[in-house]
Amino acid sequence: KKSYVAERVVGKAPVIDGKLNDKAWSEAKWGDGFYQFQPYNGKKATQKTDFKILYDNNNLYVAIRCYDTHPNKIVRRLTRRDHIDGDWAGIAIDSHFDQRSAYGFFVSEAGVKFDGKFTNDNGGSDNSWNTIWYVKTSKDRKGWVAEMRIPLSQLRFAKEPKMTWGLELVRYIFRNQEKDFWQPIYQDASGFASQFGLLTGIHNLKPKREVFLTPYVMSKLTTGPVTEGDPFSKARAASVSVGMDGTI
């Protein structure tokens, strides 16, 4: 299996702006060497993809550089969360290292998020899992970039001085209908998370549980015919609801 060594951030953590110009990124080496899952399973990817991974006591930082020899052909489509379309890329992490489950974090070139849980060593994900994480994308003459910050509180892992996690990087090139993996996965192989490569270099992290609260305000406007003789009947009625969503 392929292996990538993550580096601990020394000094200031990267600012998530999709630019990859922070000094912290110079501390990590590029991972590369992607292979097609489809349409030509096992062949080298048609476009080059590189990535870096950093971490500190609270976050995992991921940089994905999607090179493209024809950047004008990158397909950018703005959609709703968990319904990404066009070109996209992301990371899947088996932090339990049970080789059966994983957490997936993906983003389209347009900046639309897709996240989900993979269970039972199955490639299908539970898309109802919407967690808290941060990502920005940018496009240039070399292709496009995704820069992520994933709070460690959103991952589950054991308290050990040194850890090895399962790791997979994915890229989708829309115009080719091409899905590429860093750790090659063959279509005739059984399982998904069990096929991942390895993420090493993670030392002295403590499992975290945090509560994220997101307040919201929702307005409602109802229109309809007025009921004759009813003093409370109105053609237009407005209301406001206030609430809060929480993620543990």
Side-chain angles (χ1 to χ4, degrees):
K1 290 191 174 184
K2 299 174 75 172
S3 180
Y4 180 86
V5 181
E7 297 291 341
R8 181 179 280 273
V9 174
V10 177
K12 189 177 180 180
V15 176
I16 306 304
D17 56 10
K19 301 300 182 182
L20 304 187
N21 54 2
D22 303 271
K23 183 179 178 181
W25 287 119
S26 64
E27 300 164 12
K29 295 182 179 179
W30 287 109
D32 58 10
F34 282 59
Y35 290 83
Q36 294 184 48
F37 179 75
Q38 60 185 39
Y40 302 110
N41 189 220
K43 289 190 175 183
K44 287 187 177 182
T46 60
Q47 300 290 337
K48 180 177 174 58
T49 307
D50 292 346
F51 69 92
K52 288 185 176 184
I53 300 175
L54 297 168
Y55 71 97
D56 56 23
N57 289 335
N58 299 304
N59 299 284
L60 199 70
Y61 303 91
V62 182
I64 305 175
R65 159 59 81 174
C66 300
Y67 291 96
D68 202 306
T69 52
H70 300 283
N72 59 312
K73 295 183 179 181
I74 294 172
V75 178
R76 176 185 177 90
R77 292 183 177 176
L78 191 62
T79 57
R80 297 180 62 184
R81 180 169 180 164
D82 290 337
H83 293 83
I84 57 175
D85 201 354
D87 283 55
W88 57 267
I91 184 171
I93 304 166
D94 175 11
S95 56
H96 294 284
F97 202 48
D98 59 6
Q99 300 187 67
R100 294 186 58 81
S101 61
Y103 302 94
F105 304 87
F106 311 96
V107 65
S108 70
E109 191 276 334
V112 179
K113 289 181 177 180
F114 171 84
D115 44 25
K117 281 185 178 181
F118 299 90
T119 58
N120 299 320
D121 203 16
N122 192 316
S125 64
D126 175 8
N127 302 339
S128 65
W129 183 70
N130 289 324
T131 191
I132 305 295
W133 59 290
Y134 308 89
V135 62
K136 290 290 184 180
T137 61
S138 66
K139 183 180 177 183
D140 57 26
R141 60 184 178 82
K142 296 180 181 179
W144 68 281
V145 168
E147 187 176 27
M148 303 178 180
R149 176 167 70 87
I150 303 169
L152 292 173
S153 59
Q154 305 307 294
L155 304 176
R156 300 292 176 260
F157 53 89
K159 184 179 180 181
E160 297 177 357
K162 294 184 179 181
M163 288 179 283
T164 297
W165 294 350
L167 176 68
E168 186 64 275
L169 278 294
V170 190
R171 179 182 178 183
Y172 188 74
I173 304 171
F174 184 86
R175 67 179 182 274
N176 297 341
Q177 299 293 287
E178 176 183 337
K179 182 181 289 186
D180 301 327
F181 287 114
W182 168 66
Q183 171 66 54
I185 295 181
Y186 297 96
Q187 293 183 4
D188 58 357
S190 61
F192 181 63
S194 60
Q195 305 297 316
F196 285 8
L198 305 176
L199 177 63
T200 63
I202 301 175
H203 303 154
N204 301 317
L205 289 183
K206 296 180 180 180
K208 296 179 179 294
R209 280 295 183 99
E210 297 182 5
V211 178
F212 292 87
L213 300 177
T214 307
Y216 66 85
V217 178
M218 181 174 63
S219 60
K220 181 179 180 181
L221 177 65
T222 304
T223 61
V226 176
T227 302
E228 187 176 352
D230 185 352
F232 299 102
S233 179
K234 298 180 180 180
R236 296 165 62 89
S239 62
V240 176
S241 297
V242 179
M244 183 173 293
D245 288 332
T247 301
I248 301 178

